[in-house]
Amino acid sequence: MIGLAIAAVVVLYAIILYNGLVKARQVKEEAWSGIDVQLKRRADLIPNLIETVKGYAAHEKDTLEKVVELRNRAQAVPAGDVAGRAQAEGLLSQALGRIFALAEAYPDLKANQNFAELQETLETLESEIQMSRRYYNGAARDLNVKVESFPSNLVAGLFKFLKAPYFEIENPADRAVPTVKF
């Protein structure tokens, strides 16, 4: 009888650990979805930004084409490739920084209401992306702790729960402030 009670407690504890791992994985996936939504919103604004800048800075064609290329590259990264998406988005952020730096050289562009609204919207989105990234990384950390901690690591290994990658910029050059030369 005591053996049966101990077995029941062990099974119940394993179920609780399993459910905790499932919850942590779902929170991580929901957090990734939040990042994905914000990045999509930013990507959708880029064509409008490019068209606005084109009218004022036509001879900056290479810079504008680079932004479009990086946007397309970022959107082509497979959905589950967190590291690849982080790298592509880091490059895109750097290129967008160069576009906003262009506005300093073109006072008419800087004064354009459409450009100002797009810039403000993108700045807001960058803040939201940053918040989403922190939330995702927190959810990934919580899942990773459960996957690696004893005794939940036993259940995680049995049911093939994996550590989640963090959404971070790996290349130090991607963190650098863009330089613009005229």
Side-chain angles (χ1 to χ4, degrees):
M1 186 70 168
I2 293 176
L4 186 61
I6 291 173
V9 168
V10 168
V11 167
L12 182 62
Y13 189 63
I15 290 170
I16 290 169
L17 290 175
Y18 177 82
N19 288 339
L21 286 162
V22 168
K23 180 181 177 186
R25 182 175 58 197
Q26 291 302 316
V27 169
K28 185 257 323 169
E29 289 175 8
E30 181 264 336
W32 176 250
S33 175
I35 289 175
D36 202 38
V37 166
Q38 299 306 327
L39 294 175
K40 173 77 171 120
R41 287 178 61 202
R42 179 174 74 174
D44 290 346
L45 281 176
I46 290 173
N48 294 332
L49 179 66
I50 296 299
E51 286 304 312
T52 302
V53 173
K54 268 185 190 177
Y56 291 91
H59 64 281
E60 301 291 349
K61 185 178 178 186
D62 291 343
T63 302
L64 301 176
E65 287 175 355
K66 185 69 172 174
V67 170
V68 171
E69 174 196 333
L70 290 170
R71 172 192 179 258
N72 293 339
R73 193 182 310 167
Q75 289 189 309
V77 174
D81 185 0
V82 175
R85 187 71 180 263
Q87 182 181 21
E89 292 294 340
L91 293 171
L92 179 58
S93 291
Q94 213 174 24
L96 284 171
R98 285 192 287 279
I99 288 222
F100 289 121
L102 282 176
E104 298 301 319
Y106 298 94
D108 290 342
L109 173 61
K110 193 173 178 181
N112 178 288
Q113 184 176 353
N114 192 29
F115 181 78
E117 288 172 6
L118 287 168
Q119 185 175 15
E120 185 178 323
T121 302
L122 270 171
E123 287 172 2
T124 300
L125 279 171
E126 290 298 328
S127 264
E128 291 174 9
I129 290 168
Q130 189 64 13
M131 287 187 309
S132 296
R133 186 179 311 164
R134 282 194 299 268
Y135 178 66
Y136 169 81
N137 284 340
R141 178 203 60 232
D142 292 346
L143 175 62
N144 293 346
V145 166
K146 288 182 181 207
V147 167
E148 292 183 327
S149 297
F150 182 81
S152 61
N153 66 340
L154 300 174
V155 175
L158 184 64
F159 291 100
K160 297 182 179 26
F161 283 86
L162 302 174
K163 285 179 57 178
Y166 291 105
F167 189 94
E168 57 192 359
I169 297 173
E170 294 177 8
N171 183 353
D174 293 343
R175 289 188 178 100
V177 175
T179 56
V180 179
K181 296 179 184 170
F182 299 103

